[in-house]
Amino acid sequence: LDTLRVTVAPATLKSSILGRNQTMLEAAVEIGVQKHVAPDPATGQLPQTDLDALMSLCQEIQAALEFQTLSAMPGAMWVKTEFIPVYSFEHLDAQHIFTSVLRLTYKVGGQP
């Protein structure tokens, strides 16, 4: 993970009742952002500027995808974005790896 790794994967697909003989589909996609962060040789601390830059990238991904339609599913509507986790303290502490996961949820309504 010396280079930035961005992974996109389907997360969940839920179906709920919308009305008589209609369901609402809710689909979530997760985007993982990972990169090894080398500690400062002098202090052993992780450079805050590197962590801030990676968190900024996650926020840029968030901003670029919210309120957007999906070309493969034009009827899908963005509902929410969650960071799960915002970033993993365990990965940073144990392996010096920044890991953040964005979960974007979309609704697709009116399925008979």
Side-chain angles (χ1 to χ4, degrees), residues 54-97:
L54 289 164
M55 198 62 227
S56 278
L57 172 63
C58 293
Q59 292 168 333
E60 287 176 36
I61 293 169
Q62 173 188 12
L65 294 173
E66 289 181 348
F67 299 103
Q68 299 300 312
T69 58
L70 303 174
S71 59
M73 293 185 77
M77 182 175 73
W78 170 83
V79 177
K80 66 181 174 179
T81 301
E82 302 169 89
F83 283 83
I84 309 170
V86 173
Y87 61 90
S88 171
F89 294 106
E90 293 82 10
H91 287 189
L92 274 176
D93 188 44
Q95 302 167 0
H96 303 140
I97 295 174

Side-chain angles (χ1 to χ4, degrees), residues 14-75:
K14 297 179 185 179
S15 179
S16 58
I17 191 163
L18 180 63
R20 188 177 195 152
N21 296 324
Q22 283 191 317
T23 58
M24 172 72 70
L25 294 178
E26 187 176 281
V29 176
E30 290 183 344
I31 302 170
V33 176
Q34 291 185 298
K35 186 172 188 312
H36 181 263
V37 179
D40 182 313
T43 65
Q45 299 294 314
L46 298 176
Q48 190 62 47
T49 55
D50 292 355
L51 300 175
D52 290 345
L54 289 164
M55 198 62 227
S56 278
L57 172 63
C58 293
Q59 292 168 333
E60 287 176 36
I61 293 169
Q62 173 188 12
L65 294 173
E66 289 181 348
F67 299 103
Q68 299 300 312
T69 58
L70 303 174
S71 59
M73 293 185 77

